[in-house]
Amino acid sequence: MAEPKIGGNEWEYVKECLDTSWVSSAGSYVDRFERELAEYLGTRHAVATSSGTAALHIALLLAGVEPDDEVLVSTMTFIAPANTIRYIGAWPVFIDAEPDYWQMDPNKLAAFVETGCRWKNGNLINLATGRKIKAILPVDILGHPCEMEPILEIARKWELKVVEDATESLGAAYQSRMVGSKDTGGDLTCFSFNGNKIITAGGGGMITTGNTDWANRAKHLTTQARDDSIEYIHSEVGYNYRLTNIQAALGCAQLERIDEYVTSKRRIANIYAETLSEVPGITLMNQAPWAKSTYWLYTILVDEKKYGMDSRSLLKELEASSIQARPLWQPIHLSKAHEGAYAHHCEVAERLWRDALSIPSSVGLDPDDQRRVSNSINARFQDHQP
Ligand SMILES: *Cc1c(COP(=O)(O)O)cnc(C)c1O
């Protein structure tokens, strides 16, 4: 599905960490990884963290989210962003996906804020729960950005902070500017370097922002909020969320090759688009005219009636031919882990969950192997015709 590709300077950089004993959370690669990612994206600050989840947790704290506040978040996403809202004791409010690119639906977001909320004493209040809404957390899923302009407009109008979860979309662009650059996205953007993401550090994350105070505070909070470099004195509760030098060394080597990786993903997407476009009942992944997608995980929709079988049956049949495929995530408003949280009309996400299937998309995927995937999907359709 999404295997890491190691083949550049990874060995050399990690060996240098081992040879010099700079293996832990201090060392030149951490600073270098932060600097080079900021340069790549065109943003002022990047602060490395131990994971994408940690990055989101800290970003929400920086955005001023407090216990019992609410955060408007995509329901069609991996569960991590919703969990980080709960780490603070705040509550997610789930917003549906739009049907074309499967990202947070700005129209439904607007409809909820305009009709389901009220401005009271300088705060936006969710009428259904009585809680304050503090932030919006749009998630750029599968390598494609959310439509940020209308989301940012709502945020400005109602004084909400925007924390963009771009953990799946490093290298993507919105209106020809990089996701996470200083003028595309929200107040804070989060990335992940988990093993299945477009580049990996073995594990790790990054917070990017144009705000110098937030960047400094992110460093402080991720390093146990220590006030003094010699004395162990702390004036608040911090976290051990710093990336290690070994991980950063891996990350630096991977970042050197990101353009090549994005090109590979886009080539894989083109081949799927060519080879699957004629299969009845298969909907291809789309790219918005205002977006450049990295196609991190190539995903199709399977229409059971037209294709002859549903997405889960196709998954099993592909598995029988040693081809890995995966459904998208259970929409979080249906998750037991977030039972009781408020959700605003999330029917598109439920349909996507039923029909979507992600298919092999590794950067190193061999074109012949990829044709075998397309041929299998084609052949299963033929097999099921009466
Ligand atoms: C991978 C992912 C995360 C979490 O990143 P980790 O580095 O694994 O903690 C958060 N949100 C989304 C949408 C993800 O896909």
Side-chain angles (χ1 to χ4, degrees):
M1 294 280 299
E3 277 176 356
K5 184 175 179 183
I6 310 288
N9 290 320
E10 288 87 347
W11 267 110
E12 188 191 323
Y13 293 173
V14 171
K15 185 171 184 303
E16 190 191 318
C17 297
L18 300 177
D19 289 343
T20 59
S21 320
W22 286 98
V23 292
S24 197
S25 53
S28 61
Y29 282 110
V30 180
D31 297 336
R32 175 168 157 188
F33 192 33
E34 291 176 333
R35 194 176 61 243
E36 290 180 354
L37 194 87
E39 270 164 26
Y40 171 70
L41 295 174
T43 186
R44 289 182 54 200
H45 306 285
V47 178
T49 57
S50 53
S51 70
T53 306
L56 286 162
H57 183 186
I58 296 295
L60 288 170
L61 289 171
L62 297 173
V65 176
E66 293 177 349
D68 264 333
D69 287 342
E70 288 186 342
V71 177
L72 309 178
V73 61
S74 311
T75 192
M76 178 39 74
T77 168
F78 180 57
I79 201 168
N83 288 349
T84 61
I85 295 166
R86 295 294 301 131
Y87 295 169
I88 299 178
W91 297 93
V93 169
F94 296 111
I95 305 294
D96 203 7
E98 36 76 20
D100 297 328
Y101 317 109
W102 316 335
Q103 312 298 324
M104 177 185 272
D105 187 335
N107 293 320
K108 282 192 168 161
L109 176 71
F112 168 68
V113 169
E114 301 292 338
T115 63
C117 301
R118 200 176 60 199
W119 187 254
K120 201 176 144 194
N121 303 331
N123 289 297
L124 186 67
I125 305 292
N126 179 352
L127 290 173
T129 61
R131 297 190 190 112
K132 281 182 216 163
I133 297 169
K134 283 285 186 65
I136 310 176
L137 202 173
V139 185
D140 305 323
I141 62 165
L142 303 171
H144 193 290
C146 290
E147 193 177 2
M148 290 303 287
E149 202 125 287
I151 295 174
L152 293 174
E153 200 172 300
I154 291 164
R156 279 191 292 267
K157 182 168 172 192
W158 301 104
E159 299 179 18
L160 307 174
K161 295 286 184 287
V162 176
V163 173
E164 187 173 357
D165 179 342
T167 49
E168 298 182 4
S169 298
L170 177 63
Y174 174 67
Q175 294 183 343
S176 62
R177 291 163 308 200
M178 300 295 287
V179 166
S181 72
K182 59 179 181 302
D183 43 20
T184 54
D187 299 293
L188 295 138
T189 307
C190 296
F191 295 95
S192 164
F193 310 106
N194 186 24
N196 66 351
K197 300 302 202 278
I198 193 159
I199 64 168
T200 186
M206 198 78 81
I207 303 169
T208 64
T209 181
N211 183 319
T212 306
D213 291 342
W214 277 345
N216 291 336
R217 194 160 155 67
K219 268 195 185 148
H220 182 64
L221 285 174
T222 53
T223 47
Q224 306 279 30
R226 191 164 158 186
D227 292 341
D228 191 278
S229 61
I230 295 171
E231 298 285 344
Y232 293 93
I233 292 172
H234 309 256
S235 43
E236 63 182 317
V237 175
Y239 302 85
N240 178 12
Y241 277 174
R242 200 70 180 137
L243 193 72
T244 68
N245 205 44
I246 294 185
Q247 291 171 309
L250 261 178
C252 285
Q254 291 263 298
L255 186 59
E256 289 171 354
R257 303 183 67 190
I258 189 160
D259 290 339
E260 184 191 321
Y261 291 2
V262 171
T263 304
S264 299
K265 294 273 190 194
R266 292 178 61 85
R267 179 176 44 76
I268 291 167
N270 280 335
I271 295 178
Y272 279 135
E274 274 165 29
T275 51
L276 294 174
S277 64
E278 309 277 285
V279 188
I282 298 292
T283 302
L284 301 174
M285 198 173 192
N286 261 322
Q287 174 182 259
W290 37 261
K292 182 184 169 200
S293 175
T294 65
Y295 293 95
W296 168 62
L297 263 191
Y298 197 86
T299 303
I300 55 175
L301 303 183
V302 182
D303 180 326
E304 183 180 0
K305 281 208 192 81
K306 292 190 191 133
Y307 183 71
M309 82 175 92
D310 66 11
S311 62
R312 301 312 193 272
S313 310
L314 177 57
L315 184 156
K316 288 199 193 95
E317 298 225 2
L318 291 173
E319 202 106 288
S321 321
S322 306
I323 294 169
Q324 195 178 42
R326 285 289 175 269
L328 287 184
W329 318 275
Q330 180 186 44
I332 314 178
H333 70 281
L334 300 177
S335 169
K336 210 162 157 30
H338 292 280
E339 217 171 345
Y342 190 76
H344 175 78
H345 302 297
C346 293
E347 56 282 334
V348 172
E350 293 180 22
R351 184 161 55 76
L352 292 172
W353 183 38
R354 184 193 63 200
D355 293 345
L357 203 60
S358 301
I359 53 180
S361 310
S362 302
V363 162
L365 184 63
D366 177 84
D368 289 337
D369 285 341
Q370 200 192 341
R371 291 216 162 71
R372 195 166 73 83
V373 177
S374 297
N375 290 342
S376 298
I377 294 170
N378 253 302
R380 292 305 172 280
F381 169 73
Q382 306 298 344
D383 292 350
H384 287 80
Q385 289 316 290

